[in-house]
Amino acid sequence: MTLAVALGAATIPLATVWGVILNKLSIVLIAPTWSAGQESIIWDVRLPRVLLAAFVGAGLALVGAVLQPLTRNPLADPHLLGVSSGASFGAILALLHTGLIFGATTVPLFAFAGALGATALVLMVARLTSSATVDRLVLSGVAVSFVIASLANLLIFLGDPRAQHTVVFWMLGGLGLAQWGHLAYPGLALFGGLVVLMFQAASLNGLALGDETATSLGLRVQRLRLELFTLTALLTGVMVAFSGAIGFVGLMVPHITRLLVGSDNHRVLPVAASLGATGLVIADLVARIIIRPEDMPIGVITGLVGGVMFIVVLRRKH
């Protein structure tokens, strides 16, 4: 994270990075040897962005680590139940049609509302179609995701062509919205979700063995699954609302984690969160410096690296 703050279009010494941070936090007062511009780059631009990358990476990896044993599907990831499509719909609506009616928080608010709406719609479709089993619940999510994605594409088609480049960048993932005032939401969602899920780690171990085994262990399978689906959807909605749609983190990191620490979710959940945070910080650093001073959408980096690493993981498991 220190390197990610120091490196970019303008490289800043590591000592200067920590000097600014310690001064701002009033931990150790150091006589400034840096310019006001360097201080602004570190404190106002890069540090919030790096923290947001860590929160989002940890959150997406955590959701993937929960959904894979929950659905017993190795391809499950945070975008499985249409949450990402719902968030994209809300963000596109704000960017192309309503304008920034709530100021800088408009896009995250609309994206989060879209994610919540998609989650509610999936649960409603599952109830209407009596989709109590995990396979049918996932299929309901896939169907809703396609419908919402089609509506989002319609919004793009009807929107102002001059503003569509911002939508494309957001849909490919980006951390340009990072501000100190926004960090509380993904931060609280991450740590609150991690605490709750750690208490459910033993239940997740049971669900991974199958519904019959989980029931014999005393678990209320359908209720527990819906509760965990809702929690992961909320966590995904918060993360996607501030970062856009970033792929492969929630799919790839849990598999790498299980290669390292096994399948016990008491170990998998915190390690996956740590690896996800580290991985997305590095991916964002690469996205910022590879074509500097321009930013490459971070989803391009995670897709390229994630796809290759996932093939390697599959090969090792074989």
Side-chain angles (χ1 to χ4, degrees):
M1 291 173 72
T2 302
L3 286 173
V5 175
L7 300 178
T11 301
I12 298 173
L14 299 182
T16 301
V17 171
W18 277 107
V20 170
I21 294 173
L22 293 175
N23 266 12
K24 287 289 186 178
L25 297 178
S26 299
I27 297 175
V28 177
L29 296 180
I30 302 172
T33 58
W34 51 83
S35 66
Q38 288 179 318
E39 181 173 309
S40 179
I41 289 172
I42 293 169
W43 187 257
D44 298 325
V45 179
R46 290 187 187 168
L47 187 56
R49 180 167 179 154
V50 169
L51 290 172
L52 180 60
F55 291 157
V56 171
L60 295 178
L62 188 63
V63 170
V66 172
L67 286 178
Q68 288 168 9
L70 188 63
T71 61
R72 298 191 300 281
N73 181 351
L75 296 178
D77 73 346
H79 310 305
L80 183 69
L81 296 179
V83 179
S84 180
S85 296
S88 298
F89 178 87
I92 292 167
L93 183 64
L95 290 168
L96 295 183
H97 296 279
T98 68
L100 302 180
I101 57 177
F102 300 120
T105 60
T106 303
V107 174
L109 283 175
F110 272 66
F112 184 58
L116 289 182
T119 302
L121 191 58
V122 170
L123 295 177
M124 183 178 69
V125 169
R127 183 180 295 272
L128 288 175
T129 56
S130 301
S131 301
T133 64
V134 60
D135 292 337
R136 292 178 65 86
L137 184 60
V138 170
L139 289 175
S140 298
V142 171
V144 169
S145 179
F146 275 110
V147 171
I148 296 177
S150 298
L151 294 176
N153 290 333
L154 179 62
L155 290 180
I156 295 174
F157 178 75
L158 297 175
D160 185 353
R162 292 171 297 180
Q164 289 179 1
H165 70 282
T166 60
V167 172
V168 171
F169 193 89
W170 193 90
M171 292 179 70
L172 293 176
L175 301 169
L177 290 176
Q179 299 178 21
W180 283 111
H182 293 168
L183 290 180
Y185 305 105
L188 290 174
L190 170 64
F191 291 110
L194 181 59
V195 169
V196 173
L197 291 171
M198 286 301 296
F199 280 106
Q200 298 288 355
S203 300
L204 273 173
N205 289 341
L207 287 173
L209 299 174
D211 288 2
E212 292 184 1
T213 304
T215 302
S216 68
L217 294 173
L219 298 177
R220 301 175 66 177
V221 174
Q222 291 186 13
R223 179 176 177 178
L224 179 61
R225 181 172 287 124
L226 284 176
E227 290 174 351
L228 291 175
F229 269 137
T230 304
L231 176 60
T232 54
L234 291 173
L235 188 55
T236 303
V238 174
M239 300 305 167
V240 173
F242 290 94
S243 68
I246 298 175
F248 264 104
V249 176
L251 175 62
M252 173 187 67
V253 172
H255 286 283
I256 296 175
T257 302
R258 293 188 185 96
L259 285 178
L260 296 175
V261 300
S263 59
D264 183 357
N265 285 289
H266 290 95
R267 295 191 300 271
V268 168
L269 296 179
V271 174
S274 300
L275 290 179
T278 305
L280 200 61
V281 168
I282 294 172
D284 181 56
L285 173 60
V286 173
R288 285 191 287 113
I289 66 175
I290 195 169
I291 55 172
R292 56 184 171 186
E294 300 295 329
D295 281 2
M296 179 180 289
I298 194 170
V300 175
I301 304 298
T302 59
L304 286 172
V305 178
V308 173
M309 290 189 68
F310 197 68
I311 292 172
V312 173
V313 169
L314 289 176
R315 175 63 183 171
R316 288 193 62 181
K317 283 193 171 185
H318 176 71

